Amino acid sequence: MIPAGFEYRRAGTVDEAIELLGSDPDAKVLAGGHSLIPLLRLRFARPSLLVDIGRLGELRYVREDGDRIAIGALTRYADLAADPLLTERCAPLARAASLVGDPQVRHRGTIGGAVAHGDPASDAPPVLLALDADFVVRGPSGERTVPAAAFFTGMFDVTLEPQEILTEIRVPAATGAYLKFVRREHDWATVGVAATRSNGSVHVGLTSMGATPLRARGVEEALANGASAAEAAERAAEGTSPPSDVAGSAEYREHLARVLVRRALESL
Ligand code: FAD
């Protein structure tokens, strides 16, 4: 289908983008377009103004910042997957980026777009949850930092206000794994599992196991109490509400979560 009509403005800076967003209550940010454009074409989204931030080079970077790694919101999956700093110091995130969609999606889609979109089937957000990432957000009244645990509020719903732009994601150094089960190459995850070890703690994030990206708190608690990987993994589906769809039933996803969590923990 052809999208409904809209105005298009390309922002030259983040501040200009915030100003443009303030000029129209139905404005929306466009980054890589790989989630928003399909929604426009289906007419599930009908913004009257698109504010294109896709070419803002100031938001495309991966760099060390004290004991954290700072990632610009417009950094593309392909950049993340190939980045030497991320590959060495935060391998699970680089790995998740390398498994997103196909090369075209990875060369256009941005990590900030994935986070702002709030899709529970997205690969990067559960890794960021497991890492206790911080999200830096800028709006008309300045900058605020939101912890990942408070960011994802519902299905396709996050804490961003309409005039706010996600500018940076901050993660700690970590080792770990991201395992993605797909029915066909390049598919969305039937289930994805992130297991990260940072500062001595092991955290587990889940993709496609509920309305938002989730932490497997039962698994983490079991590990903290001395359970083995196999014992802890038995609790992988606790507190989840996976969908049943063409990729698999809820029961199948619960089974997959237990298997993938065990494998991910055993690889740490
Ligand atoms: P856009 O589509 O431009 O924007 C998405 C939403 O976020 C919009 O609401 C927009 O207003 C908002 N937004 C974007 N950037 C910002 C910002 N900085 N601040 C505030 N709001 C912002 N994803 C996976 O995780 N795994 C997959 O396997 C996968 N497969 C895919 C296959 C196909 C064929 C396609 C088309 C997409 C797939 N995706 C997959 C989704 C892809 O990762 C998206 O590109 C990504 O989720 C969104 O990033 P974007 O830069 O394209 O955002």
Side-chain angles (χ1 to χ4, degrees):
M1 210 191 297
I2 296 172
F6 54 82
E7 291 292 315
Y8 171 89
R9 299 287 300 275
R10 187 186 301 159
T13 62
V14 175
D15 288 340
E16 191 191 347
I18 292 168
E19 207 177 302
L20 285 167
L21 288 172
S23 70
D24 182 337
D26 289 326
K28 236 176 158 16
V29 171
L30 176 71
H34 268 58
S35 292
L36 185 53
I37 289 178
L39 290 181
L40 297 179
R41 290 176 65 96
L42 292 165
R43 300 202 176 194
F44 289 153
R46 302 172 73 119
S48 48
L49 169 66
L50 278 191
V51 178
D52 188 353
I53 60 168
R55 294 179 207 206
L56 293 183
E58 62 181 293
L59 296 187
R60 193 172 173 187
Y61 56 84
V62 179
R63 60 183 174 230
E64 250 171 331
D65 191 352
D67 62 349
R68 310 283 273 181
I69 300 162
I71 303 168
L74 285 177
T75 310
R76 309 210 169 154
Y77 295 115
D79 301 334
L80 296 172
D83 188 84
L85 175 65
L86 204 66
T87 312
E88 194 191 313
R89 302 214 42 222
C90 194
L93 186 53
R95 176 70 181 152
S98 76
L99 295 175
V100 170
D102 55 33
Q104 182 182 338
V105 177
R106 294 195 291 274
H107 279 90
R108 294 296 307 170
T110 66
I111 187 157
V115 169
H117 193 50
D119 185 340
S122 218
D123 293 296
V127 188
L128 297 171
L129 257 188
L131 290 169
D132 276 331
D134 284 318
F135 299 125
V136 182
V137 169
R138 211 186 301 169
S141 46
E143 198 167 89
R144 65 189 177 109
T145 300
V146 187
F151 193 82
F152 302 100
T153 44
M155 190 170 272
F156 299 104
D157 200 16
V158 298
T159 55
L160 285 175
E161 296 295 331
Q163 228 184 313
E164 284 184 325
I165 291 187
L166 174 66
T167 56
E168 187 174 275
I169 296 163
R170 304 167 68 81
V171 295
T175 55
Y178 181 71
L179 303 184
K180 175 174 180 175
F181 185 90
V182 288
R183 295 193 335 148
R184 295 170 312 181
E185 194 66 17
H186 304 318
D187 259 359
W188 293 81
T190 304
V191 172
V193 167
T196 64
R197 189 193 295 277
S198 183
N199 295 321
S201 302
V202 174
H203 293 167
V204 177
L206 301 172
T207 306
S208 280
M209 286 296 289
T212 62
L214 293 173
R215 278 277 283 273
R217 299 279 180 189
V219 174
E220 294 175 8
E221 188 186 281
L223 290 172
N225 289 331
S228 67
E231 288 163 348
E234 284 305 306
R235 297 183 59 182
E238 261 182 42
T240 66
S241 50
S244 288
D245 57 26
V246 288
S249 64
E251 293 73 24
Y252 181 53
R253 284 188 157 94
E254 289 174 1
H255 167 73
L256 277 178
R258 286 189 283 270
V259 172
L260 295 178
V261 167
R262 178 173 52 72
R263 288 182 190 166
L265 292 177
E266 284 172 351
S267 76
L268 289 178

